[in-house]
Amino acid sequence: MKPTEIEGVFRKEDKIFTENLCKGIKVYNEKLIAYKDKEFRSWTPYRSKLAAAILKGINIKLNNDSKILYLGAATGTTVSHVSDIVKNGIVYAVENSPVAVNDLIKLSKKRHNVIPILEDAFHSYRYSSLVPSVDFIYQDISQRNQAEIFNENIARYLKKGGTGLLMVKARNIDVSLKPKQAYDLVCSQLKDYRLKIVKTIDLHPYEKDHAAIIIST
Ligand SMILES: C[S@@+](CC[C@H](N)C(=O)[O-])C[C@H]1O[C@@H](n2cnc3c(N)ncnc32)[C@H](O)[C@@H]1O
């Protein structure tokens, strides 16, 4: 088990792992591996776009005390790995489906650093009493107006010098466009908001017609 360039993410052969914050407990039936008094959870790129982006070479700065705003948390698959990475930090997990938030609440009972928030990320002001300024914003909500939602949350919550990562599903932008054209369209919308695009990474072969767009402030 070897550390990668991303603090808190480990690699063994062609697979990546995070160190389990809650020893012995699985979140979504992932594999647990014991190594030198520690336990690691396998992180599959077929279940998590963040894992896919990491395996495709994304380089993001996360520390064990980073504060993350996570938009589109679903039932917590990827949130749980981010929670492993930012052990002493916090993951503010926003999700608008009450059913999914029930699972997030269960997750947060075991993981002290996960704060579930049942809200629509489009109304970013609604969670301003819960969320401080953060180091990193991750968004995976597959909506047509996702660039606008991303920009609103960045303007309100991202620290100067922070990083944003937007997951884009081409088909949700415009079915008539080729994937690359859809990613370019989102990039131009982000530029119109004066966000600085650092890199766009196609998530093929792990996720068909998806890309990760990194921005910096
Ligand atoms: C693709 S899934 C996220 C998967 C998750 N990021 C993971 O890797 O485990 C998208 C989620 O975003 C949520 N969502 C969609 N629109 C939203 C919005 N406006 N605000 C908050 N959550 C939203 C959906 O309910 C869904 O659970």
Side-chain angles (χ1 to χ4, degrees), residues 26-44:
K26 293 184 182 187
V27 176
Y28 56 100
N29 209 25
E30 69 279 21
K31 233 188 198 158
L32 301 181
I33 293 188
Y35 180 75
K36 290 192 178 168
D37 293 340
K38 292 181 174 164
E39 185 178 81
F40 294 85
R41 301 169 55 226
S42 68
W43 193 4
T44 165

Side-chain angles (χ1 to χ4, degrees), residues 145-191:
N145 62 340
Q146 55 191 311
E148 184 185 0
I149 296 175
F150 194 48
N151 178 56
E152 289 287 327
N153 280 275
I154 285 173
R156 194 176 289 276
Y157 297 110
L158 191 62
K159 273 183 194 162
K160 185 101 193 98
T163 305
L165 182 52
L166 175 65
M167 295 298 174
V168 177
K169 183 178 183 178
R171 263 176 298 139
N172 283 6
I173 304 303
D174 185 337
V175 277
S176 69
L177 297 179
K178 293 205 166 105
K180 168 81 171 66
Q181 292 172 317
Y183 310 149
D184 288 347
L185 176 63
V186 176
C187 283
S188 73
Q189 292 167 341
L190 297 175
K191 281 181 195 153

Side-chain angles (χ1 to χ4, degrees), residues 49 70 72-74 77-78 95-97 119-122 140-141 143:
K49 294 173 202 100
Y70 191 121
T77 302
T78 302
E95 169 57 52
N96 69 353
S97 152
E119 261 308 345
D120 182 339
F122 183 62
D140 178 17
I141 61 172
Q143 282 196 2

